[in-house]
Amino acid sequence: MAAATVQAPSDVYRAADWLAERHPWVRQLVERIAGRIDVHPDWPDTVAGAVNGHLAHSAAWAEYEDRYPPPDDDAAFWEWQAQGPQASREVQAYGVMSSGEKNLVRLVATLGGRVAWSPMDVSFDQRGAAVLADWLAVVHAQLPAWVYPAASDDALVVQLAAVSDATNGEGVAALSR
C-alpha cells in the first residue's frame, strides 16, 4: 500500500511543530530547553533565544576571563565562577548538549529566529539526516511553486523524503507543496 503524501508546512511555527512531531529526537532536545512544547506554542522563539543567548554568554565569559583570570586556589575559583556571567536555564540546557545535539538544535532554531547556522554544522547521524531532509522540505515550501522550473518541481523534495522515510518508516512516501 502506498503511503500518504503530506505537505511540508510553509509557516515556520507549524513547520517547527511538524518537525517535532515527525522526529521524537527533535522533540526531546527542544523540550530540554523550552519545556513541554505542547503547552508552549512559542517554543521555537525560546530555542532560538537559547542558541543566541549561549553565543552571548560564551562571549561574556571570554571577556570575564580576560579581565579577571581564574585563581589557582579551589575555594577562590568557585567564588570567581559564581561572580562570573550567569546564564538563563534555557541557555544552560543548550550549553550542556553534545556538539551533535547543538548542531541539530541550531538547525531547528532557524525556524524560530535568526541564528548562526552553517552547512559546516552538517555532521548528523541518520536521525539528524532525516531531520535535515524534512527541514529542507520546509525551506522548499517557503517559496511559491512558480519560482521552481516545472521539470524539477518536487524532485528534490521526493529525494529528501526518501531519507526521512528510511529513518521514520513508511508513514510518508513523499513531501510536496
Side-chain angles (χ1 to χ4, degrees):
M1 179 169 138
T5 300
V6 297
Q7 183 172 358
S10 60
D11 174 82
V12 290
Y13 286 95
R14 283 194 300 215
D17 288 336
W18 181 73
L19 284 177
E21 182 179 310
R22 285 178 52 81
H23 303 279
W25 190 40
V26 168
R27 184 180 190 100
Q28 291 167 4
L29 293 176
V30 300
E31 285 186 341
R32 284 171 44 189
I33 297 168
R36 287 187 41 214
I37 63 175
D38 54 339
V39 296
H40 192 178
D42 60 346
W43 69 265
D45 295 332
T46 302
V47 172
V51 169
N52 290 329
H54 183 263
L55 289 173
H57 181 69
S58 296
W61 261 102
E63 183 180 327
Y64 178 70
E65 288 181 21
D66 283 346
R67 286 184 168 185
Y68 311 102
D72 293 329
D73 176 80
D74 279 350
F77 174 83
W78 294 113
E79 178 63 28
W80 170 84
Q81 188 176 38
Q83 296 299 316
Q86 302 301 308
S88 69
R89 185 201 65 75
E90 295 84 3
V91 168
Q92 289 174 4
Y94 174 75
V96 299
M97 290 181 171
S98 72
S99 61
E101 291 171 335
K102 285 179 180 175
N103 286 344
L104 185 66
V105 168
R106 276 196 309 275
L107 177 69
V108 174
T110 63
L111 300 174
R114 296 188 185 278
V115 298
W117 190 84
S118 163
M120 299 289 287
D121 293 327
V122 177
S123 60
F124 301 127
D125 61 9
Q126 187 178 25
R127 294 178 303 175
V131 175
L132 178 61
D134 282 350
W135 181 85
L136 288 169
V138 170
V139 171
H140 185 264
Q142 296 297 303
L143 296 172
W146 64 265
V147 301
Y148 295 103
S152 68
D153 185 40
D154 283 334
L156 173 63
V157 176
V158 170
Q159 288 177 331
L160 293 170
V163 173
S164 185
D165 294 344
T167 299
N168 293 332
E170 297 248 344
V172 178
L175 305 169
S176 68
R177 279 177 282 110

